Amino acid sequence: MDLLQRLIAGSGSAPSKQQRVPTHNERLHSCKRLCNALQQIWRSSSSLSNDDTASSHVANIIRRLNTILDEESRKAAPHSCLHYTASNQTYIIVTKLAISSTSREIIAHTVRFFHSLINGEVEGVLDHSLFARSLVELVKRTTVPATRVIDEKEEIALIELLFEICTKIRLDPNILPAWFFPERVPGKLLTPLEARRSQFPLFYILVDYVHYDGPIGDFARTALLYLTETASKSRPLEKWMMESDLAHQMASGLSALYGRLSRHAPGISKKALPILSYSDTSETKDGQDEFYDDAGMDMRAFLSYLAFWQDTLSHCKSTEVRDTLLDSYQVLFVEQLLYPSLLESSDVEGGSTAAVILHLCRLLAALDHRQLVSRMLGYLFATKSQPALAKDQRARSRPSISRRRSMEQLANLVSQTDNPSPDLFNLLDLIVFSLRSSNPQTVTSALKLITVLLRRHHPHVKYQLFSVEALRPASRQNLSGLNDTMMTLFDQAGAISPIHTMDSSYQAALKDAQTMMEHHSCLFEDDTSRQAELRQMAIAKECKVLEQMASLLESWFANDTLVNLELTGALGALASCEHVLLRSWLAPGSADQLSVISILDGLIGQVKSWRTQFVEWDAFYSIQRVDLMSEEELLSLDHSGASVLNEKLSTTAGMGSNSPPPSPQTVAGKVAAMSLDSIDGRIASDGSTTAERGSARQLSGEQAASDVSTRSVSSGNLSATLLETRIPIGAQSRKQATGTEGERAGSTDTEAAERGQDDSAVGDETSGLTAEVKVTASLRHVLTQAIILQEFILELGAALQIRATLFDEVDLS
């Protein structure tokens, strides 16, 4: 019985004694005792690095001191312990003990100790030079690679301390003199850089970390942004930043990260882009996954540093400091590294031209700062006059002595180097050269660059990228002309293959076109006078870029799939700019001028011949088109799936060979509505499209069904043997470059395939420069290019309609 009672009594929890909270005086007494103990240990101990027992004892004392400070900070004032610790300058002893030891535990507790003092808002701490020196020494001495014992977590915590200091300086610039000593006279044994570091060590520690990934880099970059912002409130700091190597360090850091980028263009797998499986595009088989992972990390680091550049310039309120940074960016990065990398790249197999152009695309896609873009593109395109910069310079007063010194230093640096000049070979020359390349990756990268320039930075290269000419008077297109052009495009799209999804494709193209035009870079230009001038501009006949893009369009069915995808993107971006008139490049401007629509006529002629040759064309086309759709696109057609099933199993006649082209809907405004009414009227009166009336062969439903049944055509089996049939596309001539001025010797360029020429038409070699090469492609490849072409034609029609509404380009009078 006694045993049972004891067990029952033991099963309950015994009442615990409530822990007594120390009084204010008791906390202060304990704080003083711990601070005195640290001083005694420092005086009596020569080193803690070889004494684990003493190190453990020190770590325990600092931990207990931190506990007292943390408890006090959660209570209302007075904060006597924090005041005592600060006034007694205990931070000096704690720093010395941490530096002399190799204990990560001591360093971790020391970081926490400084954090309590920084955020304790105690007078005589942040604005005291001894506190500043202690913290800077702690960070410098514990992060030296040769003697560092801390891990990444502790290193991040140390840089976070410096970030907290910069945040305090930003809020109260009066703290700055404790951390910044511009009048400090350097010792005789110090180098100029060491002397600079001694004047503002906090700044240089942060500079060393700005290129790091993760939290440590974020802390360092943001802290430097706050210091740069403070320069506008402190003339000594503004002067020091101009005379220091801040701009040089930042530009060198950007250059170093750019130098790490791969000089091999990454391949695109068919898994990442399924459409490649339906074409003759060969997949990269290097299998270097780790290599591409590393390349991706290098690019992310570079773009992160580039974002830091933009943030720094945006936060910098000092005009002269900002100009100093821009000068270094242009000279040290653009002129001495970026441009030479473009110029010296090679387009031979395994060369770097495609890679460096893609790097430039990523750089431009990430840039938003107007002056950074203007400086870079102005130099790369060898722009003789930059009105925006000249306007800014006229508005500024005479530069200060510090600013002139920084300009002289850069001028001296430039004079000592022998760098090539874009006056002889600029970015436009490289783009034209790359568009002529026989390497699909180089062509693709050049087209991607054109797209990025048009969509994001066209105001900076209005006259440089495309040769333009003035049309005077600048008359608007009449409604009848718009109707005729759109009817031509719809006829062309229907001639490729009339499918049920064409109308939904056109509606999607309308939305995309409106989004592209509303976000085009030219719409955000603030110089309205130049807008009015450029709305009267058209692309000139001698424009080299458009000439090469037209050549690529002519050789459409022989092109690599990625080339065609990027070509549609570039032409679509051009059609989205309100400053570039569509006349003379989209629709014929004169009888002898080649235009996109006239080139499309030639391509449609090829498609008509293939539809005659292959009775299965429309069945294959429909099934392959549906197979390429995403799940979202399939669901958007019909939630029941009936339309999809019909699309997969129907033949040309079964789907309705006389089905009309899409009936575009009005986006906004009566201009589009009027034009579409007249288009629908023409379709209804005829009962068939122009393309269908001219078709050489039309199939009945029974014939088509029989053909499909005979060849066992289905969504899962597309009669693979027939799809791999090689089709003659024409002849593509390749000529050796003649080494004209502005082009690199030994390069090759590719002429467009001659429209309408059959495979057997091989030209005679009348000179050492011209040889015809037969071009063939699989039926699967041709079908894929036809699908892309149909979508592209619909996109052009959508662009015409949206421009008529959004840009008021149609005359209703």
Side-chain angles (χ1 to χ4, degrees):
M1 186 67 178
D2 293 340
L3 176 62
L4 179 60
Q5 289 179 341
R6 288 197 300 272
L7 289 174
I8 294 175
S11 63
S13 57
S16 59
K17 295 183 180 179
Q18 185 175 3
Q19 186 175 3
R20 191 176 70 84
V21 178
T23 65
H24 172 269
N25 290 332
E26 288 174 338
R27 276 200 312 272
L28 180 58
H29 177 73
S30 298
C31 176
K32 291 180 178 179
R33 183 165 50 82
L34 293 172
C35 290
N36 290 334
L38 291 173
Q39 288 184 356
Q40 291 175 4
I41 292 174
W42 170 249
R43 290 169 183 167
S44 61
S45 176
S46 58
S47 175
L48 299 177
S49 59
N50 299 320
D51 192 337
D52 294 339
T53 302
S55 295
S56 179
H57 182 52
V58 169
N60 185 51
I61 294 177
I62 301 176
R63 179 187 59 78
R64 292 167 59 190
L65 181 59
N66 287 336
T67 301
I68 293 174
L69 297 180
D70 290 343
E71 289 177 352
E72 185 179 74
S73 64
R74 291 192 291 266
K75 297 182 180 297
H79 295 157
S80 303
C81 296
L82 282 168
H83 283 281
Y84 176 81
T85 305
S87 60
N88 198 40
Q89 299 179 351
T90 306
Y91 47 78
I92 298 177
I93 300 300
V94 172
T95 299
K96 291 180 177 180
L97 291 171
I99 292 175
S100 66
S101 73
T102 57
S103 170
R104 290 173 51 190
E105 186 180 10
I106 292 180
I107 295 173
H109 290 314
T110 301
V111 169
R112 183 181 166 193
F113 172 75
F114 271 97
H115 179 80
S116 298
L117 291 180
I118 291 172
N119 294 282
E121 298 182 357
V122 182
E123 294 183 3
V125 175
L126 297 181
D127 58 351
H128 202 295
S129 60
L130 290 179
F131 178 83
R133 183 186 303 172
S134 298
L135 178 55
V136 168
E137 283 299 310
L138 174 67
V139 177
K140 288 172 59 177
R141 298 286 294 275
T142 56
T143 58
V144 175
T147 59
R148 181 170 58 184
V149 295
I150 61 174
D151 61 10
E152 182 181 5
K153 181 179 179 180
E154 280 107 25
E155 190 172 22
I156 293 173
L158 286 168
I159 302 304
E160 185 179 4
L161 289 178
L162 302 187
F163 164 76
E164 292 174 355
I165 293 297
C166 294
T167 302
K168 300 292 185 181
I169 292 175
R170 181 195 187 197
L171 298 175
D172 183 9
N174 294 324
I175 299 173
L176 185 61
W179 304 84
F180 174 50
F181 316 101
E183 305 301 329
R184 175 177 289 175
V185 179
K188 295 182 179 180
L189 299 179
L190 296 180
T191 65
L193 178 57
E194 291 172 338
R196 282 286 174 187
R197 286 182 175 270
S198 69
Q199 293 174 344
F200 203 179
L202 168 65
F203 178 87
Y204 278 100
I205 293 176
L206 295 170
V207 168
D208 291 337
Y209 282 95
V210 291
H211 63 281
Y212 276 51
D213 293 329
I216 192 168
D218 293 336
F219 282 131
R221 288 187 289 270
T222 308
L224 278 175
L225 292 182
Y226 291 165
L227 293 180
T228 305
E229 186 176 326
T230 307
S232 62
K233 305 174 184 178
S234 171
R235 179 56 188 170
L237 180 57
E238 181 183 42
K239 176 183 177 183
W240 184 87
M241 282 190 168
M242 283 186 287
E243 296 181 353
S244 72
D245 59 345
L246 162 66
H248 189 283
Q249 287 271 8
M250 288 181 60
S252 298
L254 190 65
S255 297
L257 291 173
Y258 179 83
R260 285 166 46 184
L261 299 181
S262 169
R263 291 302 183 261
H264 297 281
I268 299 180
S269 66
K270 294 181 180 179
K271 182 179 180 182
L273 197 62
I275 196 172
L276 299 182
S277 299
Y278 293 84
S279 68
D280 295 342
T281 301
S282 59
E283 183 176 2
T284 303
K285 297 181 179 180
D286 47 38
Q288 297 177 342
D289 294 337
E290 294 182 0
F291 167 77
Y292 287 124
D293 289 342
D294 293 339
M297 292 176 59
D298 291 338
M299 176 56 73
R300 287 192 295 271
F302 174 75
L303 294 179
S304 177
Y305 201 96
L306 188 66
F308 167 63
W309 259 94
Q310 296 188 89
D311 291 340
T312 300
L313 291 170
S314 299
H315 280 74
C316 183
K317 305 298 190 249
S318 169
T319 301
E320 291 196 324
V321 172
R322 186 167 59 246
D323 287 344
T324 301
L325 288 169
L326 287 169
D327 288 346
S328 292
Y329 169 84
Q330 177 175 329
V331 173
L332 301 180
F333 174 65
V334 177
E335 296 184 13
Q336 297 194 351
L337 183 64
L338 180 61
Y339 173 71
S341 73
L342 294 169
L343 178 66
E344 297 165 5
S345 63
S346 171
D347 190 39
V348 298
E349 184 176 356
S352 61
T353 298
V356 295
I357 294 179
L358 286 176
H359 296 337
L360 182 59
C361 290
R362 295 290 300 272
L363 191 160
L364 288 169
L367 275 182
D368 292 312
H369 196 277
R370 181 182 64 86
Q371 290 174 303
L372 279 178
V373 177
S374 182
R375 290 289 190 103
M376 181 173 69
L377 293 181
Y379 181 81
L380 294 180
F381 278 96
T383 305
K384 299 302 180 184
S385 61
Q386 300 182 34
L389 289 178
K391 181 179 178 180
D392 292 343
Q393 290 170 356
R394 286 195 300 270
R396 296 169 189 161
S397 59
R398 179 178 174 81
S400 65
I401 296 176
S402 299
R403 172 74 179 123
R404 291 200 297 270
R405 286 176 181 171
S406 67
M407 295 169 66
E408 291 172 359
Q409 290 174 357
L410 276 179
N412 292 334
L413 181 62
V414 171
S415 64
Q416 296 173 6
T417 58
D418 185 20
N419 287 328
S421 170
D423 292 334
L424 297 179
F425 188 88
N426 60 40
L427 185 57
L428 177 62
D429 299 318
L430 179 62
I431 291 175
V432 174
F433 171 86
S434 300
L435 291 177
R436 295 173 178 170
S437 172
S438 59
N439 183 352
Q441 281 191 317
T442 302
V443 179
T444 300
S445 63
L447 291 169
K448 188 184 294 291
L449 177 58
I450 292 172
T451 302
V452 173
L453 288 171
L454 286 171
R455 290 184 178 178
R456 294 187 55 81
H457 307 298
H458 195 203
H460 298 282
V461 289
K462 288 173 183 173
Y463 301 104
Q464 290 76 31
L465 186 57
F466 290 93
S467 300
V468 294
E469 59 185 2
L471 293 182
R472 302 187 185 279
S475 59
R476 293 186 294 168
Q477 186 180 19
N478 58 46
L479 188 59
S480 175
L482 173 66
N483 289 344
D484 291 343
T485 304
M486 294 186 71
M487 273 300 301
T488 299
L489 290 171
F490 295 144
D491 285 347
Q492 291 174 341
I496 294 176
S497 185
I499 58 172
H500 280 164
T501 58
M502 196 181 298
D503 188 71
S504 62
S505 294
Y506 184 75
Q507 299 304 319
L510 284 172
K511 295 179 182 179
D512 291 343
Q514 184 169 1
T515 300
M516 287 176 60
M517 292 182 195
E518 290 177 345
H519 293 83
H520 197 278
S521 57
C522 286
L523 284 183
F524 301 97
E525 188 183 14
D526 55 4
D527 190 347
T528 56
S529 62
R530 295 187 61 77
Q531 283 186 9
E533 176 188 350
L534 281 171
R535 289 198 63 167
Q536 304 176 12
M537 306 306 292
I539 297 181
K541 296 180 182 179
E542 63 273 10
C543 179
K544 295 181 180 179
V545 173
L546 188 62
E547 178 185 352
Q548 295 306 315
M549 292 172 70
S551 295
L552 290 172
L553 185 60
E554 287 180 307
S555 61
W556 179 271
F557 291 103
N559 291 346
D560 184 275
T561 299
L562 291 176
V563 169
N564 285 344
L565 290 174
E566 291 298 340
L567 179 60
T568 62
L571 290 173
L574 181 60
S576 301
C577 179
E578 67 166 331
H579 292 167
V580 179
L581 300 180
L582 297 184
R583 279 173 292 171
S584 78
W585 75 268
L586 180 61
S590 59
D592 64 338
Q593 188 168 6
L594 195 63
S595 67
V596 168
I597 289 182
S598 62
I599 295 173
L600 291 176
D601 282 336
L603 298 179
I604 298 303
Q606 291 182 343
V607 172
K608 289 178 180 178
S609 66
W610 292 326
R611 289 185 70 183
T612 302
Q613 179 182 358
F614 296 98
V615 295
E616 304 88 350
W617 172 276
D618 291 296
F620 284 165
Y621 185 93
S622 299
I623 296 170
Q624 189 157 315
R625 183 183 177 92
V626 173
D627 285 343
L628 287 172
M629 290 182 178
S630 65
E631 293 183 7
E632 294 78 7
E633 291 173 323
L634 293 175
L635 292 175
S636 67
L637 296 180
D638 190 341
H639 290 291
S640 67
S643 294
V644 177
L645 182 61
N646 182 51
E647 191 75 60
K648 281 179 172 285
L649 300 181
S650 296
T651 62
T652 306
M655 294 183 296
S657 60
N658 290 325
S659 59
S663 300
Q665 302 299 315
T666 304
V667 177
K670 66 179 182 178
V671 175
M674 293 180 64
S675 65
L676 299 176
D677 289 342
S678 59
I679 291 173
D680 292 338
R682 286 187 57 181
I683 295 175
S685 64
D686 266 352
S688 63
T689 65
T690 304
E692 288 160 348
R693 291 195 304 271
S695 178
R697 182 170 184 175
Q698 300 221 355
L699 303 176
S700 66
E702 293 78 6
Q703 289 173 324
S706 175
D707 290 333
V708 174
S709 175
T710 301
R711 296 184 181 275
S712 302
V713 179
S714 68
S715 60
N717 180 9
L718 294 182
S719 193
T721 302
L722 183 60
L723 285 171
E724 296 305 323
T725 302
R726 305 301 295 182
I727 301 176
I729 304 299
Q732 192 169 11
S733 64
R734 304 173 185 272
K735 65 180 182 179
Q736 187 72 18
T738 57
T740 57
E741 183 179 18
E743 294 188 350
R744 290 171 281 192
S747 62
T748 62
D749 59 310
T750 305
E751 295 291 338
E754 299 179 11
R755 294 185 292 115
Q757 183 178 10
D758 62 38
D759 188 49
S760 61
V762 180
D764 295 330
E765 293 191 42
T766 57
S767 70
L769 300 178
T770 304
E772 298 293 342
V773 180
K774 295 182 180 180
V775 178
T776 64
S778 69
L779 176 58
R780 183 192 302 273
H781 176 87
V782 169
L783 286 167
T784 300
Q785 308 319 307
I787 292 172
I788 300 173
L789 183 63
Q790 188 178 62
E791 290 292 322
F792 172 56
I793 293 173
L794 295 178
E795 289 169 1
L796 291 178
L800 278 170
Q801 180 176 338
I802 298 297
R803 286 179 69 104
T805 303
L806 190 62
F807 299 155
D808 191 26
E809 290 189 339
V810 175
D811 187 2
L812 299 178
S813 59

